[in-house]
Amino acid sequence: MEPGTATQSASALVLQAGDGHAAGAEDQVGAADDDSQIRAESQANANHLLSFVVDHMTTSCAPCPVELAHIVYPPAAYEETKNGNKLSRRAIIEGGKYIRIKGRCIIKPEATVRGDLGEVHAGQYCVIEARARLCPTPTTRDSGQGLVPTSMRIGDYVYIGEGCVVE
């Protein structure tokens, strides 16, 4: 069935797209002139709606065809791990044995990752921008044992913007 046209079934209600009128099949019998007029109005309304949707999509909702640039991280400024992680030589990494990064992550200059405060687990394809800080917050127990290290988990495909603090 074409958009904007009416169906001619005997049992189903038909919604005319032009005027919002719901009519049974018995209302359509013997009304050929009215039917053709309603179809014309419905088609005009459907075309108007379609042009509105297309205009709206092309001006505000359509994804932009952006070609991503290939970024080269110079070996003098970045250390690459066996998992494909790229760590800036100017990044501040404390407590490295408590930091687990799955792979293909980028840690930019002056970013701080504090593994000495608790475990930090990051998924794949994460980006930690410059001056971002990952600091697991130690918590206290009710029994008075002092500060207890907590763990921080970051999922896959996470972007932590410049200057963000994650606690």
Side-chain angles (χ1 to χ4, degrees):
M1 182 172 80
E2 294 180 38
T5 60
T7 61
Q8 300 265 340
S9 82
S11 61
L13 288 177
V14 178
L15 178 65
Q16 301 294 337
D19 57 1
H21 171 70
E26 63 275 357
D27 293 340
Q28 296 176 2
V29 176
D33 292 336
D34 291 339
D35 190 37
S36 62
Q37 182 180 3
I38 290 173
R39 284 187 184 180
E41 289 175 8
S42 297
Q43 187 64 40
N45 287 340
N47 289 341
H48 182 283
L49 179 64
L50 181 61
S51 67
F52 171 76
V53 169
V54 169
D55 289 343
H56 182 68
M57 287 177 58
T58 56
T59 57
S60 63
C61 295
C64 298
V66 176
E67 186 173 326
L68 297 176
H70 180 70
I71 301 172
V72 177
Y73 295 93
Y78 285 85
E79 183 75 32
E80 186 167 353
T81 66
K82 65 180 179 179
N83 292 342
N85 298 315
K86 292 177 176 53
L87 309 173
S88 171
R89 295 181 189 274
R90 295 186 342 181
I92 301 165
I93 310 291
E94 297 181 16
K97 68 180 183 176
Y98 298 108
I99 299 172
R100 304 282 183 263
I101 302 175
K102 283 189 177 179
R104 303 281 191 185
C105 293
I106 301 169
I107 299 178
K108 302 267 181 112
E110 300 175 23
T112 303
V113 181
R114 298 285 307 266
D116 58 339
L117 299 176
E119 293 181 347
V120 177
H121 299 273
Q124 296 179 338
Y125 301 100
C126 294
V127 176
I128 302 170
E129 282 289 341
R131 294 181 297 285
R133 294 186 327 170
L134 302 180
C135 302
T137 306
T139 58
T140 57
R141 288 195 181 172
D142 293 335
S143 62
Q145 293 180 348
L147 295 177
V148 178
T150 58
S151 64
M152 174 184 287
R153 299 199 182 274
I154 300 169
D156 296 339
Y157 305 98
V158 174
Y159 176 82
I160 299 173
E162 187 170 340
C164 288
V165 177
V166 181
E167 294 181 332

